[in-house]
Amino acid sequence: MAPSRQARSSRTMRLVLLGLAAGICLLPSLPAVQAQAPAKQPPAAPQGTSQAAPQVAPQAVPGFWDPRRRPERPDLSRLTVIRFLTETDYPPFNYTGADGNPAGFNVDLARALCEEVKVTCTVQMRRFETLVDALSSNRGDAIIASMAVSPQLRARVDFTDPYYRVPARFASRKDAVMPEIRPEYLEGKKVGVIAGSAHEAYLKAMFTDAELHGYPNDDALRSALRKSEVDFIFGDAISLAFWINGTDSGDCCAFSGGPFVESRFFGEGIGIAVRKGNDVLRQALNWALFRVWEKGRYTDLWLRYFSVSPF
């Protein structure tokens, strides 16, 4: 059974603990990124008190590698070519460029990995639902297509370490931004969320005093915030980042508080898939991912593609 687009975008997420940017390293070893990281801000004023004008957080660059756990360089002599598979239409991660060639964050990252490993690489675009079958039938060596790691997919493929995650965040109108959000701050507040989603389950478990309003889809949810029918909305931070920065939002809104990344609600992260048992390639890609991050190239790619950070 092919993985769904829902699995790809990591919207099938699961349960527990508030984790404000838990497990995220903001790359302190890189001065350029250190300057980009948002400064700590005081907690929002309790309900019923006035708040100062919101501050706009600088761009934050996530990192998912621990500099203290440097992987050893694997034996790359057995690698002669890596045939990457990616999908056709998931901008800005994957899309067809103006020259007709594959483009996007995933594609540029794949090329950076190839340069690090120093082997020839190709990138082939296919429909997302066909990628795992193509990998299993040896029509490619690795899938780099924003594929969410899940127990179901682990039964069919092996994954590298995560190279990004899909956090959840709150958004509010710009005149009501909170630099920090805790359950007690949202007591009695109207919070919109997609009905039946993992985001709704998280709010029901953790934000028990908020007044939840379920919506059938993203358009209805975001419209409710634009019209001030709710005080906040809560959802997939990557899609919210592009909505906030796009024309559809009408420049109405901004993120409030930081990202929530607890894996039992919001997934294990996004990895590169390889065929089961292909440890040579998996270890080579893990090493190359660390090197690309360590050299600052991951940071360069992130800032190029994400003008409003989901983190």
Side-chain angles (χ1 to χ4, degrees):
M1 182 176 180
S4 66
R5 287 184 173 269
Q6 195 173 21
R8 174 200 62 194
S9 61
S10 195
R11 289 175 189 149
T12 54
M13 313 169 194
R14 301 157 185 89
L15 121 77
V16 108
L17 281 181
L18 280 170
L20 183 60
I24 296 174
C25 167
L26 289 179
L27 309 181
S29 61
L30 301 175
V33 176
Q34 206 167 25
Q36 298 281 353
K40 291 184 178 180
Q41 301 188 51
Q47 187 178 3
T49 64
S50 61
Q51 298 187 43
Q55 300 179 23
V56 178
Q59 170 69 295
V61 181
F64 305 102
W65 298 271
D66 185 345
R68 297 167 298 180
R69 299 181 60 187
R70 177 189 300 273
E72 292 185 9
R73 188 181 191 277
D75 180 7
L76 304 176
S77 62
R78 294 164 59 187
L79 285 179
T80 57
V81 64
I82 302 174
R83 298 171 297 162
F84 278 105
L85 301 171
T86 193
E87 75 159 307
T88 55
D89 186 24
Y90 188 48
F93 295 99
N94 307 92
Y95 58 92
T96 302
D99 59 0
N101 292 318
F105 178 84
N106 285 326
V107 175
D108 284 348
L109 180 60
R111 289 170 176 154
L113 298 177
C114 296
E115 292 174 15
E116 199 62 47
V117 177
K118 293 181 172 55
V119 299
T120 300
C121 288
T122 61
V123 180
Q124 179 189 156
M125 302 181 80
R126 304 178 65 93
R127 294 195 316 276
F128 183 79
E129 62 272 16
T130 69
L131 290 174
V132 172
D133 286 341
L135 181 69
S136 299
S137 59
N138 199 29
R139 283 174 280 177
D141 301 310
I143 299 171
I144 186 164
S146 296
M147 186 169 283
V149 179
S150 69
Q152 294 79 10
L153 280 175
R154 282 191 184 278
R156 301 186 63 190
V157 300
D158 288 338
F159 281 99
T160 64
D161 297 335
Y163 64 95
Y164 78 88
R165 297 182 185 275
V166 182
R169 287 189 76 172
F170 289 93
S172 65
R173 294 189 62 83
K174 284 188 171 181
D175 59 0
V177 166
M178 287 185 177
E180 182 180 1
I181 288 187
R182 298 178 182 177
E184 59 267 29
Y185 296 165
L186 299 194
E187 181 179 353
K189 297 288 187 181
K190 297 178 181 179
V191 181
V193 68
I194 299 295
S197 65
H199 298 97
E200 182 183 54
Y202 185 80
L203 292 177
K204 286 181 175 179
M206 306 304 298
F207 287 79
T208 55
D209 293 325
E211 181 182 315
L212 302 189
H213 293 255
Y215 292 89
N217 53 53
D218 285 329
D219 288 341
L221 178 67
R222 295 164 185 174
S223 176
L225 182 60
R226 284 199 310 268
K227 297 176 181 178
S228 297
E229 295 172 2
V230 293
D231 301 302
F232 300 90
I233 59 175
F234 186 64
D236 173 344
I238 289 180
S239 60
L240 279 175
F242 285 102
W243 173 71
I244 286 170
N245 198 46
T247 56
D248 288 348
S249 68
D251 199 32
C252 69
C253 305
F255 281 128
S256 270
F260 299 89
V261 296
E262 211 292 319
S263 62
R264 285 179 287 178
F265 273 111
F266 307 120
E268 299 178 52
I270 305 300
I272 301 172
V274 301
R275 276 188 298 281
K276 294 290 289 184
N278 192 350
D279 288 340
V280 171
L281 180 55
R282 183 180 59 81
Q283 291 170 6
L285 292 173
N286 274 337
W287 175 80
L289 282 167
F290 184 92
R291 292 282 292 165
V292 167
W293 167 74
E294 186 178 44
K295 292 179 176 180
R297 298 185 67 186
Y298 183 92
T299 300
D300 293 341
L301 282 177
W302 188 270
L303 293 174
R304 184 190 310 169
Y305 283 98
F306 297 97
S307 55
V308 173
S309 177
F311 287 90

